[in-house]
Amino acid sequence: MTIAGQGPVAWMMSRFPAVSETFILQEVLAAQRAGVRAEIFPLVRQRGQDVHPEARPLVARAHYARPLSLRTLGAQGYWLRRAPARYLGTWARALAGNIRSPRFALRALVVIPLAARFAREMQGLGVRHVHAHWATHPALAAWAVNRLTGIPYSVTAHAHDIYVDRSMLGPKLAAARRVVTISEFNREFLAEHYPAAVDGRLDVVRCGIDLRRFPLREQPGRSGEFRILCVAGLRDYKGHEYLIRAVALMGAAGVPARLELIGDGPMAGDLHALCRAEGVADRVDFRGARSGEEVAVAMGATDALALPSVITGTGKMEGLPVVLMEAMARGVPVVASRISAIPELVEDGVTGLLVDQRDAPGLAAALTRLARDPREAARLGRAGAERARTQHDIVANTHRLLDLIGVGSRS
């Protein structure tokens, strides 16, 4: 697909660049390789994040903005003069739509001024479409840009953005040209709860990965310990505590295992304390945040990847974790929780192993199965690689997205 001589497409997201959202970065890069002129409009500038070298030019020209800058304030005056009814109506509807959520209402006080500035800049750039990742604040910004300028927008819904706080979700989806989500699980949820808002405009486009960065590995030789890798932010919904307990159970059953945790977050102190309490501090390595290249190398050397995700009390949960796709593409056997859309990727006993959430003994049993049967582990790794490579190629999936939102070669 080649798209030339047309106005740019704007991508809207919460933060950029964010290590936890490399799938957005890879989507934009794939769109650029397809000939799309991409412009990035983040609500927050993410600092201190390691960025793949290929993405640095994109980061350098992203449209970062501060809500209290002179340019942002000037944009409010512009819309008050040029389209006062639309501008004030946008404010009124945004605040009314989020009034029952104090957190969302407060953030609307920041998002709407930024959206007014972005709308002005997008007009100057000749932007023809806005695509927002996450149905929360980025979708609100895209909705406001649409009201002020008429530029159409679309939304990709992922996970917590439709399961935790759904303030104003219906109007944001209803005004979108297209609503995209990453799994059948999400599609069914939206079709059931917002049928009028998404009628005839709801599609599944799965997250993709750059397969060049995660090549199929040579099967590593086994060491004395069974090596387990977990790549996830140290947050409550990732379920690390159950994996640490599973490592302790494996050791007690005579199956020596070593766990490598890549990721950082607010649970770090609690997890270190748990390792000491379970007597596995010498068998759990906390690596902190690592680059994509380092993650790919770690996947090449591990015996299995585990992701023991849980659903929190607020309803927060995984969407379809990209790290599972990456590990599977490399041929790593995976063990994951049977929640959300994960079973669409990890088919139990076929492309990996599934366990119930919050089940440390179940995790220990699944990992022990892989440790004791290397041939079974290799079989699951090969099948997982085939699944990841046929369903989660960033190039193919980005082309599908571009066609759906009306900026592809067949649109």
Side-chain angles (χ1 to χ4, degrees), residues 60-344:
R61 61 181 182 82
H63 298 267
Y64 295 110
R66 290 180 289 112
L68 296 179
S69 70
L70 290 176
R71 287 183 64 186
T72 303
L73 293 173
Q76 316 312 304
Y78 172 84
W79 292 113
L80 271 172
R81 294 191 304 273
R82 293 293 297 270
R86 273 183 286 158
Y87 176 74
L88 295 174
T90 298
W91 267 109
R93 291 185 62 178
L95 292 176
N98 290 285
I99 196 66
R100 294 185 180 180
S101 172
R103 185 168 63 96
F104 273 34
L106 283 172
R107 293 192 179 182
L109 297 176
V110 175
V111 170
I112 298 303
L114 288 177
R117 172 173 169 173
F118 291 156
R120 188 90 171 86
E121 293 180 0
M122 288 180 190
Q123 280 188 328
L125 291 166
V127 166
R128 58 189 167 121
H129 187 88
V130 179
H131 185 66
H133 271 279
W134 306 101
T136 49
H137 315 302
L140 178 63
W143 170 88
V145 168
N146 172 255
R147 281 183 55 84
L148 292 172
T149 67
I151 299 172
Y153 74 97
S154 50
V155 179
T156 290
H158 292 265
H160 67 266
D161 52 336
I162 58 174
Y163 292 117
V164 179
D165 190 331
R166 298 196 289 275
S167 299
M168 205 180 158
L169 181 57
K172 288 182 288 189
L173 299 181
R177 171 188 280 179
R178 208 80 183 185
V179 178
V180 173
T181 191
I182 63 171
S183 67
E184 289 294 334
F185 184 88
N186 286 357
R187 186 194 65 76
E188 291 171 7
F189 178 89
L190 291 174
E192 177 183 352
H193 289 84
Y194 299 92
V198 300
D199 183 39
R201 295 173 298 104
L202 177 60
D203 297 277
V204 173
V205 178
R206 302 186 186 278
C207 288
I209 59 174
D210 186 345
L211 296 175
R212 299 172 303 175
R213 299 177 61 200
F214 296 92
L216 188 63
R217 67 178 186 171
E218 296 287 335
Q219 288 299 318
R222 288 290 179 90
S223 63
E225 295 176 306
F226 184 71
R227 298 161 296 187
I228 305 165
L229 176 65
C230 179
V231 183
L234 304 183
R235 302 182 180 279
D236 55 356
Y237 70 100
K238 296 296 185 177
H240 291 88
E241 61 188 281
Y242 304 99
L243 183 53
I244 289 170
R245 292 193 172 102
V247 169
L249 290 171
M250 293 173 73
V255 183
R258 174 165 291 278
L259 173 60
E260 181 179 5
L261 299 179
I262 292 181
D264 211 343
M267 296 290 293
D270 292 340
L271 295 175
H272 275 285
L274 179 62
C275 288
R276 293 191 295 270
E278 293 287 341
V280 295
D282 61 336
R283 285 183 276 151
V284 179
D285 302 314
F286 288 80
R287 302 299 190 194
R290 289 290 181 265
S291 68
E293 289 73 17
E294 290 171 310
V295 169
V297 170
M299 287 176 175
T302 195
D303 295 315
L305 180 131
L307 195 64
S309 314
V310 302
I311 303 173
T312 70
T314 64
K316 190 167 187 176
M317 69 177 103
E318 300 277 16
L320 192 55
V322 173
V323 70
L324 290 174
M325 305 167 201
E326 294 171 346
M328 291 167 69
R330 295 231 63 192
V332 179
V334 300
V335 178
S337 298
R338 190 182 284 105
I339 64 169
S340 186
I342 290 174
E344 296 178 32

Side-chain angles (χ1 to χ4, degrees), residues 358-371:
R358 305 180 191 277
D359 183 4
L363 272 170
L367 291 164
T368 297
R369 173 179 168 183
L370 298 178

Side-chain angles (χ1 to χ4, degrees), residues 389-409:
R389 291 175 175 277
T390 55
Q391 293 191 4
H392 296 280
D393 177 6
I394 190 64
V395 175
N397 292 5
T398 299
H399 285 194
R400 172 168 161 73
L401 172 68
L402 296 176
D403 282 336
L404 287 171
I405 67 177
V407 299
S409 60

